[in-house]
Amino acid sequence: MDMIWQALESAPEYLKLIGFFDILDMAIIAFGIYHLLRFVRKSRSGQVVKAIVFLLVAMVLSSSSVLHLRVVSFVLTNAMELGVIALIIIFQPELRRFLEQMGSGKLKELFVAETYGTDVESAIKETVEAYAAMSRDKVGALMVFERRTMLDDMLKTGTTLDCQVSAELLKNLFWNKAPLHDGAVIVRNGRIVGAGCMLPLSGNVNLSRDLGMRHRAGIGVSENSDAVVAIVSEETGSISVAVNGMLKRHLSPDTLERLLRMELMPAVDEENKPVSAAARLTSVFKGIKGDNSNGKEDS
């Protein structure tokens, strides 16, 4: 206790030694750490960062005087020396995007928090209207609503667009004679940024064999990101949604709208506390009947 009081009494003397450039130095470091954490959260690099932290902890423990694991410490130390090159290779798309935005003067986009405006709400309404019509006409559709995880790699496989979401535009894009109808439409912050995009297929071997390529692609992108994927079956007209690798099928347009609103727009409960994704999904799908594996789906 005496040491604590001595430290508190000497704190003002230490504060007097802090100058303007010291504060500026700490602010720059804090700014960099903050946006580094935002970058990790927005990209698909969270698992990689966890693995790196695990390796660092293992290296420290193996070289400590308690364990003193010489062989393990030697292997981990040499592996970490090559880690810088490995990280450059792993994060090549993100680093390239950062440098491209820096060169094009769009660096501000990396440091401005995303906002939810009327574009997202309008996009949901137009999507539900289009999906209701395409479900009746049995027109296949695949839309990916991007959230924190950037989908630039998938966006490059299609045609880049920059337009508002409208029901008529979606019905034209997914018309079976349209050149972009086979790929996916990617929506970012309520605006269409790409069409005809190719998505990774799910590697889940437990999926129903009735599911075709469109549904497997929707599940695949939801497994690799936090995106919300809306699908219309070309064969049955059934509406499905994939979130976090989970596919819910045979949804009505009203259920689709409720789900998209809860997933894509800020949701708070009566006490203004954030609602978890699991709670939102439970509330949306509560009362929905029907087997998730029955019924043949299209490709």
Side-chain angles (χ1 to χ4, degrees):
M1 185 63 67
D2 294 336
M3 295 179 61
I4 296 177
W5 281 112
Q6 291 178 0
L8 292 176
E9 291 175 355
S10 59
E13 299 297 330
Y14 288 110
L15 292 176
K16 292 179 182 179
L17 301 176
I18 299 176
F20 170 77
F21 290 103
D22 297 320
I23 297 176
L24 179 63
D25 191 18
M26 290 185 289
I28 293 174
I29 296 299
F31 181 81
I33 294 174
Y34 167 74
H35 288 291
L36 177 62
L37 295 175
R38 281 195 65 221
F39 166 77
V40 172
R41 185 183 179 187
K42 289 177 65 177
S43 67
R44 290 172 288 178
S45 55
Q47 300 299 324
V48 178
V49 172
K50 291 179 182 178
I52 293 173
V53 173
F54 174 79
L55 290 175
L56 288 174
V57 173
M59 184 174 65
V60 172
L61 291 177
S62 62
S63 60
S64 65
S65 58
V66 178
L67 298 178
H68 200 60
L69 304 176
R70 296 181 180 180
V71 178
V72 175
S73 178
F74 174 79
V75 172
L76 292 177
T77 302
N78 285 274
M80 294 304 295
E81 290 178 357
L82 299 175
V84 176
I85 300 176
L87 288 177
I88 294 176
I89 296 174
I90 293 172
F91 296 113
Q92 184 269 337
E94 288 83 359
L95 293 174
R96 179 175 179 178
R97 174 175 172 267
F98 177 84
L99 295 175
E100 286 177 349
Q101 292 191 343
M102 180 183 292
S104 61
K106 297 181 180 179
L107 190 62
K108 182 179 68 173
E109 296 179 3
L110 295 175
F111 304 119
V112 177
E114 59 185 71
T115 57
Y116 297 88
T118 57
D119 285 345
V120 176
E121 184 174 4
S122 174
I124 293 174
K125 292 180 179 178
E126 296 293 329
T127 299
V128 173
E129 180 182 343
Y131 269 48
M134 290 188 289
S135 177
R136 290 193 302 268
D137 299 335
K138 294 185 179 180
V139 176
L142 178 59
M143 288 184 67
V144 180
F145 292 89
E146 182 186 83
R147 291 197 280 187
R148 291 188 299 270
T149 304
M150 308 299 290
L151 304 175
D152 290 342
D153 292 344
M154 303 172 196
L155 189 60
K156 292 176 182 178
T157 63
T159 300
T160 302
L161 301 174
D162 184 14
C163 56
Q164 291 183 339
V165 179
S166 69
E168 296 302 321
L169 176 59
L170 292 176
K171 287 186 283 186
N172 277 278
L173 286 174
F174 291 117
W175 179 51
N176 59 5
K177 296 294 191 296
L180 301 177
H181 81 281
D182 276 337
V185 166
I186 296 180
V187 178
R188 175 181 295 169
N189 294 330
R191 295 182 64 84
I192 295 176
V193 294
C197 301
M198 298 296 103
L199 306 180
L201 298 181
S202 173
N204 188 351
V205 297
N206 296 320
L207 292 177
S208 171
R209 293 185 178 182
D210 295 333
L211 296 176
M213 302 295 286
R214 181 176 285 116
H215 291 79
R216 292 179 183 274
I219 297 173
V221 71
S222 71
E223 290 173 342
N224 295 303
S225 69
D226 62 348
V228 178
V229 187
I231 310 162
V232 176
S233 167
E234 187 174 353
E235 184 174 338
T236 65
S238 174
I239 299 175
S240 305
V241 170
V243 182
N244 296 326
M246 180 177 64
L247 181 69
K248 286 293 182 179
R249 301 158 67 183
H250 314 302
L251 305 181
S252 67
D254 291 338
T255 303
L256 173 65
E257 181 176 5
R258 189 161 66 250
L259 188 150
L260 292 179
R261 284 182 177 276
M262 289 186 175
E263 290 295 328
L264 301 177
M265 301 181 68
V268 294
D269 60 10
E270 305 84 32
E271 299 178 357
N272 294 324
K273 295 180 181 179
V275 180
S276 65
R280 296 201 301 268
L281 283 174
T282 301
S283 64
V284 170
F285 294 131
K286 185 177 181 180
I288 296 178
K289 297 181 180 180
D291 186 274
N292 288 336
S293 60
N294 295 331
K296 187 176 182 180
E297 299 291 341
D298 72 296
S299 60

